[in-house]
Amino acid sequence: MRRRGVTVLLGALLTALLSIGVLGAPIPYVVLGPGPTVNTLGTENGKEVIQISGRSTSTSAGQLRLTTVGVQPTVRLRSALAGWFSADEAVVPRELVYPPGETQQEVEKRNAEDFQASQTSAETAALRRLGYPVQVAVKTVVPGGPAAGVLKVGDVVSAVDGEPVTSAAKLTELIRAKPAGTVLKIGYTRGGAAASADVTSREQDGRPRIGIEIDQRQPHPFTLSIDLGDIGGPSAGLMFALGIIDKLEPADLTGGKIIAGTGTIDDEGRVGPIGGIAQKLVGAKEAGAKVFLVPADNCAEAVRNPQPDLPLLRVGSLDEALKALDTLRAGGQPTRC
C-alpha cells in the first residue's frame, strides 16, 4: 500500500514537471495586445511630436491620439493560453507578423520605413488640405523617349487629358490608366507660363510610360517635421495629418475631447485599413478617448470588438475625418460604423 502511494506521488510529480516543461516551451505564435497611445498634439520624451517653425501655431484643449498594437514576439504556451482567454489580446500565427524568410530585425526595419513613409504622406495630405499644392516637376527626360523634345527638365506637370495631377502617384496613375500607344495631352507649366503638348505613351517593363523621371515638391513658407521614435508601421498617418492641420489652423479640431484613431494615409488623403483594430480600441479606451476614428474598411471588425461608450466614426479620407470632427464639435451625429 505504501509502495503504491509512492508510485502515485512520483507519477503526479512527473506529470507536473512535464506540464511545466510543456507550458514553458516556445510556440510559433505571437500575442497582440494594446500598445501605447500618443497625443500627436503633445510632447513625447520632452519634444513636441509635430514640430513647426517659421509660423505661429495654435493650441488645443483636447488630444488627437494615435494608437498602436503591442507585439509579444516570443510566446510560450502559458502566455498563449492566457492570451486566448483574454478579452484584450489576440493570439495569431507568427508568420502573420514575421513572414517566413524574414528575421524579426528585418520586419522591424521595414516597419520603421513604413512609419517614416506614413509621416511623409501625412505631411503631404495635410499641406494640400491647407492650400499648399504638390508640384510634380520633370527631373529627367529620357533621350529618345516619348517626351523627348516636348518636355524639359523643370517643367511642372499639371494635367493629363484634363485630369489634374495632384501628386507624383496621381501622374503615374493617369498615364497607366490608358494603354501604351495612347496619345496623351500633357498640361504643364514652364517659366510660369501654362502650356500643353501631345505625348504618345510607350510600353516599358510591361507598363505605359512617357519617358520622364519626376520629382515631387510642395513649397511652403515654414518648416515641418515629426519626431517620434519606437513606433513602426504605416497606421499613424491619419492622426499625424489631423495633428498637423490642428496645429496650423486656428480651429480646435478636438472640441476639447480626447479623440483617438488609426488609419494609413496616402498623398491624396485617402485613408486605408490597418491591423489590430480590436487592440487599438482597448488602448484608446484606456487612454480616455471619447470617440474613435475608424478606417472605412475596418468598420466591420471594429463593430465586432466594441468598447463601452466609445463611438466609432467611419472615415475613408482626410476630408471625411475633418467633416466628422466638425459635426462632432457642432453637436451633430457624424457617420458611424
Side-chain angles (χ1 to χ4, degrees):
M1 191 72 176
R2 184 177 177 184
R3 182 180 297 174
R4 182 180 177 186
V6 171
T7 301
V8 171
L9 181 60
L10 288 173
L13 180 59
L14 180 60
T15 301
L17 290 172
L18 287 173
S19 297
I20 292 171
V22 171
L23 290 174
I27 60 175
Y29 288 84
V30 298
V31 176
L32 306 180
T37 69
V38 177
N39 177 22
T40 61
L41 301 177
T43 60
E44 193 74 7
N45 297 322
K47 298 180 180 179
E48 285 190 278
V49 175
I50 298 174
Q51 301 173 0
I52 298 169
S53 59
R55 172 172 167 165
S56 61
T57 58
S58 62
T59 57
S60 295
Q63 301 176 15
L64 291 169
R65 302 195 76 89
L66 64 85
T67 52
T68 66
V69 176
V71 180
Q72 184 181 336
T74 302
V75 177
R76 302 184 187 281
L77 183 56
R78 185 184 298 105
S79 299
L81 290 173
W84 274 315
F85 287 102
S86 170
D88 299 341
E89 296 180 332
V91 182
V92 301
R94 183 179 176 82
E95 62 265 22
L96 293 182
V97 178
Y98 303 107
E102 287 190 73
T103 66
Q104 182 177 332
Q105 291 72 24
E106 288 171 335
V107 172
E108 290 172 353
K109 182 176 181 292
R110 187 179 70 246
N111 285 341
E113 292 169 349
D114 288 344
F115 185 62
Q116 184 61 48
S118 76
Q119 295 178 29
T120 301
S121 292
E123 292 175 18
T124 300
L127 291 175
R128 286 182 65 235
R129 184 65 173 70
L130 292 169
Y132 299 100
V134 168
Q135 295 179 354
V136 180
V138 177
K139 183 179 180 181
T140 305
V141 178
V142 177
V150 180
L151 297 177
K152 295 183 177 181
V153 173
D155 289 348
V156 176
V157 182
S158 56
V160 176
D161 287 340
E163 287 287 326
V165 172
T166 53
S167 66
K170 185 66 173 181
L171 174 59
T172 301
E173 177 186 315
L174 292 172
I175 292 171
R176 292 179 180 175
K178 297 179 180 178
T182 300
V183 178
L184 304 171
K185 185 169 289 295
I186 306 297
Y188 62 94
T189 301
R190 179 182 298 163
S196 64
D198 290 341
V199 177
T200 302
S201 64
R202 186 183 302 169
E203 184 175 331
Q204 182 181 344
D205 300 326
R207 293 173 176 173
R209 301 179 186 273
I210 63 171
I212 60 173
E213 292 182 8
I214 54 179
D215 184 29
Q216 179 170 302
R217 57 198 187 200
Q218 195 172 21
H220 50 277
F222 52 87
T223 61
L224 166 64
S225 63
I226 296 173
D227 187 351
L228 185 61
D230 300 325
I231 291 179
S235 65
L238 171 62
M239 301 310 290
F240 278 138
L242 291 173
I244 292 168
I245 292 173
D246 192 280
K247 284 202 156 196
L248 288 171
E249 284 197 330
D252 181 353
L253 297 183
T254 70
K257 295 182 173 65
I258 299 177
I259 309 293
T262 188
T264 65
I265 200 164
D266 64 14
D267 290 355
E268 301 289 327
R270 292 173 291 213
V271 174
I274 50 78
I277 188 71
Q279 289 71 46
K280 291 180 178 182
L281 289 171
V282 174
K285 181 66 178 180
E286 291 175 349
K290 300 304 179 185
V291 69
F292 195 97
L293 303 178
V294 182
D297 290 341
N298 287 118
C299 268
E301 184 182 0
V303 168
R304 292 195 300 270
N305 295 275
Q307 288 294 308
D309 301 317
L310 184 62
L312 306 175
L313 304 189
R314 178 189 185 278
V315 295
S317 67
L318 178 58
D319 284 347
E320 286 184 10
L322 291 168
K323 183 179 179 181
L325 294 180
D326 283 343
T327 302
L328 197 65
R329 291 199 309 277
Q333 290 294 324
T335 302
R336 297 197 181 192
C337 287

